[in-house]
Amino acid sequence: MGRVKIAAGNWKMNKTAKEAVEFVQALKDKVAGADAEVVTGVPFVCIPSVKKAVEGSNIKVAAQNMHWEENGAFTGEVSGAMLADLEVNYVIIGHSERRQYFAETDETVNKKVHAAFKYGLKPIICVGESLTQREQGVTAELVRYQVKIALLGLSAEQVKEAVIAYEPIWAIGTGKTATSEQAQEVCAVIRKVIEELYGKDVADAIRILYGGSVKASNAAELFNMSDIDGGLVGGASLQVDEFDKIVNYNK
Ligand code: PGA
């Protein structure tokens, strides 16, 4: 099938621009020969200097959020047009922290995904259940619903380019990683719903990541599962050596 794996860091609200540049400069050579695509999801204010620092390397840059409108009276927001102007490659959309603390919904996720494509940014769309939802046995239904709404109205070509990150909320920042079987099971559910909606070609092409306490010691096992195409990594992406090992999980 030949899906290229992705190791994407999500720095969240961490690192100043100066720290960010030091980080990518230290990371550059270590990940130069990586088989996986290397992405760093940095705070907005770090984007210009990080983009400059990674020039000529294989490190791509993601924003952690965006607004769906091009411009206007939305104090504190950043648009897809602004990110495209900085040649940002990816944008993380609908992270559970954004859903939980900033009232994002499946509908706003869908609007943002459309806007991302409009400006040539590849969306990394986050979905995943809470512990209560897992215990209630509704994980598969919930994740199917989240994926369906996130992708509503997209073309097959767009869906092929999109990335979905399955991130069980109970595994984020808790040190409690989903087992590779649990992660694989839900990633397979996601691939299945995409097949139902867009056909096998698209389902085979789209990359589905796992996120939630990914670290150097569990990356290989997770990333080698048949429906897991890499990871969205929070805490462990903040340390050069740890993130290097995740990127080079197969070495
Ligand atoms: P974590 O975060 O790796 O620190 O659990 C993952 C994420 O929130 O994307």
Side-chain angles (χ1 to χ4, degrees), residues 40-72:
T40 49
V42 308
F44 287 133
V45 295
C46 300
I47 292 173
S49 44
V50 168
K51 274 300 292 187
K52 199 158 187 296
V54 301
E55 256 172 40
S57 80
N58 60 334
I59 301 176
K60 294 182 178 154
V61 175
Q64 298 174 13
N65 179 35
M66 63 178 281
H67 197 274
W68 59 86
E69 292 291 347
E70 181 168 336
N71 49 43

Side-chain angles (χ1 to χ4, degrees), residues 153-170:
L154 294 182
S155 69
E157 284 315 305
Q158 288 173 324
V159 175
K160 272 187 188 173
E161 292 298 310
V163 177
I164 295 182
Y166 166 57
E167 299 206 305
I169 296 166
W170 48 270

Side-chain angles (χ1 to χ4, degrees), residues 82-95:
M82 295 169 187
L83 299 177
D85 179 56
L86 296 175
E87 296 176 33
V88 167
N89 310 99
Y90 285 93
V91 54
I92 300 169
I93 292 178
H95 189 281

Side-chain angles (χ1 to χ4, degrees), residues 193-207:
V193 69
I194 290 166
E195 184 177 341
E196 288 165 24
L197 295 169
Y198 291 94
K200 191 159 177 356
D201 265 17
V202 176
D204 282 345
I206 190 170
R207 289 177 293 174

Side-chain angles (χ1 to χ4, degrees), residues 27-34 58:
L27 185 71
K28 256 199 298 204
D29 290 344
K30 293 180 189 285
V31 300
N58 60 334

Side-chain angles (χ1 to χ4, degrees), residues 102-115:
F102 303 98
E104 293 201 15
T105 64
D106 293 310
E107 286 70 26
T108 60
V109 167
N110 179 245
K111 286 188 190 182
K112 290 179 181 199
V113 171
H114 277 276

